């Protein structure tokens, strides 16, 4: 590591292989012990004068924050696909480059969605709690704690991008009928037999399971609310491994309590890392802590791609995963 190496700071500690590359090829302070928030990241940026900032959703940058960035910063590289924690137009208007980490996390996020589809449908959280608590003291009756079969069910996917298509591919292994709603209809090759619905409201009554895979948008109204939930068949399952802002959690709680939804699988929440306790207390919700990409392989690939962008910027080359709008 030399003074000529690109200078960067990061808002979080990255996987070991990524940290080793930072020590070898970049000039950077030690990784933070805990994820930095926006204010702490800005303070570090002013004290260290980096060329690049690597961050995640724990340190969002809005327009006012971007105005406070030091002039040394030329790139903001987010270790994520989603961009809802960044004001991308404001970053670009200031002349800063922006990059994200698409593709490398597709498979693990799709795997997580399938985990939630299975767990929410088969009441995994309730079974786990029963056994772990020591309260399983007699055989279950033939009519007790029955889940819902996944094989052969109708799966509705909202957002048929890379991850949505990967979920559809996995669902076909369970002989599921795939329905989808998307901003545009896919090509026949991409659809692979899935049924397209131009209007979400037309698809929802046909879904046994609904899985969300569209990006969030700061300030946008939730796409899943009391009205859209009411269109789902009674006893259906909702899975959200995309963004917490897509779901009106009060409406979701009502639907779960009333039995209109049999269950839900959630990896994301409107408030993180402290989700609504009324939601987390419900027995028929399978919960994970925004961990869709949390495997050694995927988080390492994400960090390496972020560093590839920093290295490309320093070398005057095109960014491998630039965000341009």
């Amino acid at each position: 590591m030399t003074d000529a190496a690109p200078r960067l700071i990061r808002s979080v500690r990255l996987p070991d292989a990524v940290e080793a590359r930072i020590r070898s090829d970049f000039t950077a302070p030690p990784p933070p012990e805990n994820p930095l928030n926006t204010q702490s990241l800005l303070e570090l940026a002013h004290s260290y004068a980096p060329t690049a900032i690597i961050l995640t959703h724990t340190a969002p940058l809005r327009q006012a924050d971007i105005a406070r960035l030091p002039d040394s910063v030329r790139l903001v590289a987010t270790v994520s696909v989603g961009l809802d924690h960044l004001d991308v137009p404001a970053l670009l208007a200031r002349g800063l480059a922006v990059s994200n980490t698409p593709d490398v996390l597709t498979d693990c996020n799709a795997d997580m969605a399938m985990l939630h589809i299975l767990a929410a449908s088969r009441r995994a959280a309730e079974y786990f709690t029963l056994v772990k608590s020591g309260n399983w003291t007699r055989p279950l009756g033939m009519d007790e704690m029955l889940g819902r079969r996944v094989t052969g069910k109708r799966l509705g996917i909202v957002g048929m991008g890379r991850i949505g298509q990967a979920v559809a591919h996995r669902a076909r292994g369970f002989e599921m009928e795939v329905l989808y709603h998307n901003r545009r209809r896919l090509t026949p090759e991409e659809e692979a037999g899935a049924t397209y619905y131009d209007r979400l409201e037309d698809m929802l009554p046909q879904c046994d399971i609904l899985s969300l895979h569209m990006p969030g948008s700061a300030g946008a109204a939730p796409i899943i609310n009391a009205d859209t939930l009411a269109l789902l068949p009674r006893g259906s399952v909702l899975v959200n491994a995309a963004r917490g802002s897509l779901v009106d959690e009060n409406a979701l709680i009502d639907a779960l309590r009333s039995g209109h939804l049999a269950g839900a699988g959630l990896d994301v929440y409107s408030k993180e890392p402290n989700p609504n306790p009324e939601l987390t207390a419900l027995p028929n919700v399978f919960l994970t802590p925004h961990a869709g990409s949390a495997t050694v392989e995927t988080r390492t690939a994400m960090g390496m791609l972020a560093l590839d962008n920093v290295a490309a910027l320093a070398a005057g080359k095109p960014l491998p995963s630039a965000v341009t709008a």
Side-chain angles (χ1 to χ4, degrees):
M1 184 174 68
T2 68
D3 289 340
R7 295 175 67 84
L8 66 82
I9 61 172
R10 63 267 201 218
S11 67
V12 294
R13 177 184 290 275
L14 297 164
D16 289 346
V18 183
E19 290 292 341
R21 182 180 172 191
I22 291 174
R23 291 192 298 271
S24 172
D25 299 344
F26 300 88
T27 301
E33 292 185 6
N34 298 300
L36 301 181
N37 61 22
T38 301
Q39 179 59 32
S40 297
L41 185 68
L42 288 171
E43 291 172 1
L44 181 59
H46 278 276
S47 66
Y48 201 77
T51 299
I53 295 176
I54 295 178
L55 52 71
T56 69
H57 67 282
T58 66
L61 292 179
R62 306 302 179 200
Q63 187 172 26
D65 308 314
I66 293 162
R68 297 172 57 198
L69 290 172
D71 292 338
S72 64
V73 177
R74 296 170 52 204
L75 167 66
V76 172
T78 180
V79 189
S80 67
V81 173
L83 299 163
D84 47 312
H85 56 295
L86 299 178
D87 187 334
V88 174
L91 287 165
L92 298 176
R94 184 164 169 179
L96 301 179
V98 182
S99 68
N100 64 344
T101 58
D103 298 320
V104 294
L105 50 65
T106 296
D107 284 332
C108 277
N109 273 283
D111 290 349
M112 179 64 88
M114 286 304 303
L115 169 66
H116 280 268
I117 288 169
L118 289 164
S121 298
R122 292 299 305 271
R123 302 178 70 166
E126 293 169 86
Y127 293 161
F128 177 86
T129 299
L130 179 65
V131 177
K132 190 75 171 179
S133 67
N135 290 324
W136 186 38
T137 57
R138 60 173 179 79
L140 292 177
M142 288 291 290
D143 61 346
E144 286 186 275
M145 295 190 75
L146 304 183
R148 283 166 170 74
R149 185 173 65 182
V150 170
T151 299
K153 289 297 193 292
R154 299 169 298 175
L155 172 66
I157 296 175
V158 182
M160 199 67 148
R162 299 178 185 90
I163 297 173
Q165 290 178 52
V167 172
H169 176 72
R170 285 154 174 76
R172 293 184 186 100
F174 288 87
E175 302 176 2
M176 300 181 81
E177 179 184 349
V178 178
L179 322 174
Y180 77 99
H181 168 70
N182 200 45
R183 287 179 294 182
R184 65 171 181 87
R185 183 167 186 172
L186 304 181
T187 66
E189 293 76 17
E190 292 170 325
E191 280 188 343
T195 302
Y196 174 66
Y197 286 82
D198 179 60
R199 297 180 69 250
L200 176 64
E201 293 79 4
D202 293 336
M203 183 182 79
L204 293 178
Q206 314 306 320
C207 300
D208 300 306
I209 302 166
L210 183 69
S211 190
L212 307 182
H213 299 286
M214 61 182 289
S217 179
I223 189 170
I224 301 302
N225 53 38
D227 292 336
T228 49
L229 286 170
L231 294 173
L232 288 167
R234 185 172 181 84
S236 55
V237 167
L238 172 69
V239 167
N240 186 12
R243 284 292 181 267
S245 60
L246 299 176
V247 176
D248 179 336
E249 289 184 351
N250 289 326
L252 175 59
I253 290 167
D254 289 342
L256 288 164
R257 284 176 172 166
S258 70
H260 183 72
L261 287 183
L266 305 175
D267 187 47
V268 291
Y269 312 88
S270 61
K271 183 181 179 183
E272 297 180 8
N274 298 298
N276 186 338
E278 291 188 60
L279 181 62
T280 60
L282 293 172
N284 53 341
V285 185
F286 182 79
L287 307 164
T288 52
H290 200 153
S293 64
T295 64
V296 172
E297 299 88 346
T298 292
R299 290 283 173 87
T300 298
M302 293 168 70
M304 291 299 190
L305 181 52
L307 292 182
D308 289 345
N309 281 280
V310 178
L313 180 86
K317 297 178 180 179
L319 303 189
S321 57
V323 176
T324 58

